[in-house]
Amino acid sequence: GRPQGNYARPYYGYLTHQITPAPQYHQSWFLGAGGVYSTAQDLSKWLDIIQRDDFLNAGLRQDLFSKHTKAGDSFYGYGWQIEPSGTIKHDGGNAGFMSHISFDPTTNRKVIILTNRSFSDIRQFGKSAQKISNLSNAVWQSLEGKKVDILPMPYNDIEICTGTFRFEDDLLIHIYRSDSTFRVKTNDHTPTRIVANTPLPGKNFKERELIAIADLLNKKKFWKLAKYCDGEMSFVAYSGLLSYGFKTMTDKIGKLITIIPYKVEDTHGIMRMKGTEGNLDIIAYFNEDGEIQGLFEHGFYLNDDVTEMIAYGQSENTLFVNGFPYGEKDCRLIFENDVVYLEQHGRSLKAQLQK
């Protein structure tokens, strides 16, 4: 059965028009992984209890919160993730619910976030957890006295120029006010996908390398990719395994139209495969010599059926567009008179107001 009374119903989705009820299981069915109903207040009491000497002695508590193994940029204790700053945290989630707890044992400050929404697709489940983790990090920064824009700025305090703006590649973006919100609209894809649909300028060696790799993938000249690969990936390219793997990717998006390289860093580069039935990002990992160590799917299968999104005021001249509900990265629109700069993936694209 399911619980009765004052209970948060679980939902899938983070957009009003996409929210659907999730199955309501009794959480005791998730034996060993959750199985607990709680509130933010009760979780706060629990954090106090596990830090008391009458519950755990100093030795056991030290074991609980010690750094036993590496976990990315942080460490893992016994059931807890320990940040370099000393903050201790963990998240949790299942069908329709996500939670995140973090605390500082030296000050007893706590940040507890609970939400009754998540993605139904298991591939996007991690993004739900990352979303509230980012929010928790923002709260901690605010507690440390840093200026963090968590809540939208009052609508009437934002002074921006609305209208139609044109980017250098002739892409148009429409920005207007509607029902006490700002809306951002493009003609053929989500507004947060502008940078991802704009190839890198090729200003440095890494960018030129990624552009060349994307060109060979476009032309399906897989064996020529071997010169950009390390030893193992060279074998994959020459043996035909790369061709086979590439086909499994393109089968998800219909007929391949083009591949656009749009982000590159020291350790990886990201390219967007555009197809007749959707899009898919692929990521190339590089070794220290800049050679490809592997090509993998990155992100999720995305359609271009959403061309309009809500934007929130972040400052007097900045709008924040939340790409998370669509599986996209956030972007910011910064206004300077008749010009808007769209910032995303470390790049800034300029658009001019059309009069």
Side-chain angles (χ1 to χ4, degrees), residues 130-150:
Q130 187 60 52
K131 181 68 175 179
I132 58 174
S133 177
N134 292 342
L135 180 57
S136 177
N137 290 339
V139 174
W140 278 109
Q141 292 177 39
S142 179
L143 290 173
E144 293 166 2
K146 299 177 182 177
K147 188 179 184 303
V148 181
D149 297 314
I150 299 177

Side-chain angles (χ1 to χ4, degrees), residues 94-105:
N94 51 41
F97 293 106
M98 297 301 302
S99 61
H100 192 278
I101 297 176
S102 53
F103 67 98
D104 184 340

Side-chain angles (χ1 to χ4, degrees), residues 212-315:
I213 291 167
D215 183 58
L216 290 175
L217 286 173
N218 263 315
K219 296 175 180 177
K220 298 183 179 179
K221 295 184 177 181
F222 304 109
W223 62 275
K224 285 194 173 183
L225 279 170
K227 79 172 191 175
Y228 297 100
C229 300
D230 66 6
E232 291 185 8
M233 272 302 294
S234 292
F235 170 77
V236 172
Y238 282 126
S239 67
L241 290 173
L242 180 57
S243 172
Y244 176 79
F246 187 76
K247 184 179 183 304
T248 63
M249 293 183 186
T250 55
D251 285 347
K252 299 178 181 181
I253 62 171
K255 184 178 179 181
L256 179 65
I257 299 173
T258 188
I259 299 176
I260 299 173
Y262 66 89
K263 179 184 179 183
V264 66
E265 295 186 359
D266 289 341
T267 59
H268 64 276
I270 305 179
M271 299 167 279
R272 174 147 292 175
M273 299 170 61
K274 294 179 67 69
T276 55
E277 298 179 16
N279 302 287
L280 184 71
D281 288 349
I282 53 176
I283 185 168
Y285 288 104
F286 305 121
N287 62 20
E288 293 180 355
D289 297 324
E291 299 171 322
I292 300 176
Q293 290 182 296
L295 289 170
F296 304 94
E297 291 185 20
H298 178 71
F300 313 100
Y301 169 66
L302 303 166
N303 285 312
D304 281 319
D305 57 347
V306 177
T307 60
E308 184 177 65
M309 296 172 67
I310 295 175
Y312 305 93
Q314 196 168 48
S315 70

Side-chain angles (χ1 to χ4, degrees), residues 1 7-8 45 52 87 93 111 165 168 178 183 229 247 278 280 321 324 333 346 352:
Y7 162 69
K45 293 178 183 177
R52 288 198 326 234
T87 303
V111 176
F165 296 80
E168 292 181 357
S178 174
R183 295 185 178 267
C229 300
K247 184 179 183 304
L280 184 71
V321 184
F324 167 73
L333 299 170
Q352 184 72 45

